[in-house]
């Protein structure tokens, strides 16, 4: 009898003797998925993981061989090989995006919200995961680009994405006509040009792209020659004309006084006054620089030469991306200048008067639209008043320089004209109109807070000093009730103020009245229905949403319902029996939101937002519209104007020149 071992050996020999044609084949379509699901389960529970991706403070674990096989550029990063772990530093990438990509490596699937796609694209590009990069780029161009092209272009440039930049520029070029009246467009720094004509060239009909390129060529020359900085170039409005050589030239006093009738400028009186004013301003700057001693001049010349060399290197990338005709007398464009997007606005003064449009979001057929003309320079914490239908922008500050200059805006002609400057430089001032005269009150001259007051007489075009306040005040508020000016809160030195005083023009005296309940600086104040409202403000560490109301008959302050949002540096205006509070800052963000208080219901409601945030903004009511003047937009001091149409609940940046 055979043993069991002998039987097994005999069976093996029999099997080896079996011969079959063909080969055995077996495939399991779910095998890889099953294995990777198991590996992903191991990863999630950190079992058998021998690789660590360090992204900021976060550590993402995985399997070395899988990550190296699936992430082409992972080894391009700084790698530290430990005894048991493979450590890769992914500093600079978003940890959530890297987590999503690792999940994709194991599952072949990913899902992110739209606000995470840019970070995902950046991480996929950095790690060489081209399929994810291409797919996310497609989503970006289809979904994100039309809604936020400015931020997207900044992202593309900052992350070296030439294909994305090209697509964005193509979008801008093809959609200038649609985007130039949208909010994004007004966030761009602006090269503002008023185009004058000459007797020998009374009418110009130049393609908008060519005209904008001429403007850009002129700007490039100014920067190359070191005549002006880019910031200064974008702060001013430039009155220019076309020369016989098809070049743009900025108008000077010499051009105004030219005896050549053929080249004599055809300009408005407002433009003429502005040219004289800016020419004298430049002359004063030149004289100030020549008064420096010789050693400082040499240093200045060396600095200018270095600056010119740097500028020559930096300004290679000057090009118009797109432009469009906005009316018979105006065009706008978008250009790339020294690594940033810049809006170009060119307008030739139309013979017809400008009327306020009902909409800032559409350009209806048959109407000509132009931007509301900007001030000659940016102004923050500016005094803004209305006198005889004209808007006056008084003082303010720009990059820390307190101003004494004054400009006047004519709503009918859409023009600004210089007015006699104040005797004192004043930023963070307040201004009011009583008995046909403008009062510029308090503020700061850049060194100290002021208690002085000046009055402007339009008939004589002269500023003269009036009685000073009892107390110096800066960043305060004013309102007028029964012909008397109330000065409220603010600060003096290190102290925030709750004191209030009132000026009586009849006897020329200031007198104290009851103080507010709370110290407030950077507040806004407005009179409505015989009462005075002190709104929001700041006490040095907290922004307020609280509002106090002063009854002059009772000489008493009391609280009314608070705003929905805490605000400092907001503007206030009273119109149609309601109180509007505009822009400002909540201490963290610069605001474009607007709230409206109705005393009849004792309630606040939100109305249409500004096109751009404005902090320390001037406000004034002219006819049935509220104008916002200048302010700070978060990155620059603003010279632009917006106008609120209560009928349509809309802020306009355009006027119709029909």
């Amino acid at each position: 009898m055979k043993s069991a071992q002998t039987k097994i050996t005999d069976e093996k020999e029999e099997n080896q003797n079996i011969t079959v044609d063909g080969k055995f084949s077996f495939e399991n379509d779910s095998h890889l998925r099953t294995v990777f699901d198991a590996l992903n389960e191991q990863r999630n529970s950190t079992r058998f993981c021998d690789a660590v991706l360090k992204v900021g403070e976060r550590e993402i674990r995985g399997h070395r061989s899988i990550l190296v096989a699936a992430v082409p550029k992972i080894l391009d990063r700084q790698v530290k090989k430990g005894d048991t772990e493979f450590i890769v530093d992914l500093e600079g990438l978003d940890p959530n995006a890297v987590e999503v990509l690792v999940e994709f490596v194991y599952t072949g699937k990913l899902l992110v919200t739209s606000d995470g796609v840019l970070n995902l694209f950046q991480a996929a590009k950095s790690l060489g995961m081209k399929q994810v990069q291409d797919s996310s780029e497609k989503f970006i161009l289809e979904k994100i680009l039309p809604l936020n092209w400015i931020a997207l272009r900044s992202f593309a440039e900052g992350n070296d994405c030439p294909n994305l930049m090209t697509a964005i520029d193509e979008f801008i070029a093809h959609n200038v006509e649609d985007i130039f009246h949208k909010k994004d467009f007004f966030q761009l720094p602006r090269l503002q040009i008023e185009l004058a004509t000459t007797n020998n060239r009374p009418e110009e009909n130049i393609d908008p792209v060519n005209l904008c390129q001429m403007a850009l060529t002129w700007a490039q020359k100014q920067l190359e020659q070191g005549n002006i900085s880019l910031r200064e170039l974008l702060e001013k409005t430039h009155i220019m004309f076309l020369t016989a050589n098809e070049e743009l030239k900025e108008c000077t006093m010499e051009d105004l006084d030219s005896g050549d009738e053929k080249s004599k400028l055809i300009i408005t009186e407002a433009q003429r006054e502005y040219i004289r004013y800016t020419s004298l301003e430049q002359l004063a700057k030149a004289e100030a620089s020549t008064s420096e001693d010789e050693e400082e001049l040499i240093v200045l010349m060396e600095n200018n030469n270095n600056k010119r060399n740097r500028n020559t290197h930096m300004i290679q990338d000057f090009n118009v991306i797109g432009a469009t005709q906005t009316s018979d007398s105006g065009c706008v464009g978008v250009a790339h200048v020294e690594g940033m997007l810049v809006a170009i606005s060119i307008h030739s003064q139309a013979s017809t008067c400008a009327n306020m449009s009902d909409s800032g979001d559409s350009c209806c057929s048959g109407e000509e639209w132009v931007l509301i003309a900007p001030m000659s320079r940016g102004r923050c914490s500016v005094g803004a008043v209305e006198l005889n239908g004209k808007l006056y922008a008084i003082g303010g500050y720009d990059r820390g320089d307190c101003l004494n200059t004054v400009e006047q805006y004519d709503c009918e002609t859409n023009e600004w004209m210089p007015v006699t400057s104040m005797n004192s430089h004043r930023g963070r001032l307040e201004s009011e109109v009583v008995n046909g005269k403008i009062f510029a009150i308090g503020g700061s001259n850049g060194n100290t807070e002021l208690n002085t007051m000046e009055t402007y007489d339009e008939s004589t075009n002269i500023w003269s000093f009036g009685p000073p306040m009892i107390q110096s005040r800066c960043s305060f508020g004013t309102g007028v009730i029964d012909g008397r000016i109330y000065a409220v809160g603010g600060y003096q030195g290190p102290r925030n103020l709750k004191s209030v005083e009132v000026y009586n023009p009849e006897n020329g005296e200031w007198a104290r009245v009851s103080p507010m309940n709370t110290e407030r600086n950077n507040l806004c104040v407005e009179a409505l229905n015989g009462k005075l409202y002190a709104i929001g403000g700041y006490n040095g560490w907290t922004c307020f949403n609280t509002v106090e109301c002063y009854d002059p008959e009772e000489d008493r302050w009391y609280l009314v319902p608070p705003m929905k949002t805490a605000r400092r540096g907001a503007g206030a205006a009273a119109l149609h029996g309601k109180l509007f509070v505009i822009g400002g800052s909540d201490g963290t963000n610069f605001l474009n939101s607007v709230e409206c208080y109705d005393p009849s219901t004792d309630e606040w409601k939100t109305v249409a937002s500004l096109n751009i945030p404005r902090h320390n903004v001037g406000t004034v009511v002219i006819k049935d519209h509220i104008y916002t003047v200048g302010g700070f937009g978060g990155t620059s001091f603003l010279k632009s104007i917006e106008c609120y149409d209560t009928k349509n609940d809309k802020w306009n940046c355009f006027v119709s020149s029909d």
Side-chain angles (χ1 to χ4, degrees), residues 157-315:
E157 187 163 15
N159 289 278
D160 188 25
C161 307
N163 293 338
L164 197 55
M165 284 184 62
T166 299
I168 296 168
D169 287 354
E170 288 177 355
F171 171 84
I172 295 172
H174 294 152
N175 293 276
V176 173
E177 191 170 348
D178 294 325
I179 66 177
F180 86 89
H181 55 275
K182 300 295 184 183
K183 291 182 180 180
D184 284 353
F185 185 78
F186 295 100
Q187 296 175 9
L188 295 176
R190 185 179 304 275
L191 179 61
Q192 184 78 29
I193 294 174
E194 289 284 339
L195 190 60
T197 56
T198 56
N199 280 338
N200 61 343
R201 306 184 71 151
E203 295 185 2
E204 301 291 346
N205 186 16
I206 302 173
D207 177 76
V209 173
N210 292 338
L211 191 56
C212 287
Q213 189 61 57
M214 290 179 188
L216 211 57
T217 300
W218 171 81
Q220 182 173 353
K221 287 183 179 179
Q222 304 308 303
L223 295 172
E224 283 180 336
Q225 294 167 5
N227 296 333
I228 192 170
S229 70
L230 180 59
R231 182 176 60 187
E232 292 170 328
L233 196 72
L234 301 177
E235 286 172 351
K236 291 179 57 182
T237 297
H238 305 274
I239 301 178
M240 312 186 76
F241 65 95
L242 276 169
T243 67
N245 297 328
E246 299 291 333
E247 294 180 344
L248 282 174
K249 179 184 183 299
E250 190 159 21
C251 301
T252 64
M253 290 179 65
E254 289 76 11
D255 297 314
L256 292 180
D257 300 331
S258 173
D260 185 354
E261 285 297 320
K262 288 185 177 181
S263 60
K264 189 173 182 179
L265 291 172
I266 304 171
I267 58 175
T268 66
E269 185 60 30
Q271 289 174 327
R272 183 178 297 275
E273 288 300 315
Y274 178 73
I275 293 168
R276 292 189 184 280
Y277 171 78
T278 52
S279 295
L280 290 172
E281 188 178 46
Q282 290 298 320
L283 183 61
K285 287 182 179 179
E287 290 175 349
S289 67
T290 56
S291 65
E292 303 293 340
D293 60 41
E294 184 176 352
E295 181 178 349
E296 290 184 352
L297 268 177
I298 293 172
V299 172
L300 180 63
M301 290 173 65
E302 289 177 349
N303 289 341
N304 281 339
N305 286 334
N306 292 337
K307 179 180 178 182
R308 186 177 299 117
N309 290 336
R310 288 196 302 272
N311 281 340
T312 302
H313 173 71
M314 291 174 64
I315 60 181

Side-chain angles (χ1 to χ4, degrees), residues 180 195 197 202-208 211 324-332 346-352 364 366-370 655-658:
F180 86 89
L195 190 60
T197 56
E203 295 185 2
E204 301 291 346
N205 186 16
I206 302 173
D207 177 76
L211 191 56
T324 187
Q325 195 85 21
T326 58
S327 69
D328 288 344
S329 57
C331 68
V332 297
I346 303 175
H347 176 245
S348 58
Q349 189 61 41
S351 59
T352 55
C364 303
E367 291 183 296
E368 291 187 1
W369 297 80
V370 295
V655 289
S656 171
S657 59
D658 282 359

Side-chain angles (χ1 to χ4, degrees), residues 477-481 484-488 500-501 513 525-535 547-552 556-558:
T478 57
V480 175
I481 299 176
R484 300 184 178 192
I485 302 173
Y486 291 79
V488 182
V500 183
E501 53 188 299
V513 296
V525 173
E526 187 59 78
L528 178 65
N529 299 335
K531 292 183 172 58
L532 197 68
Y533 292 83
I535 306 156
V547 182
E548 299 186 49
C549 181
Y550 175 74
D551 187 336
R556 182 176 69 91
W557 288 90
Y558 57 91

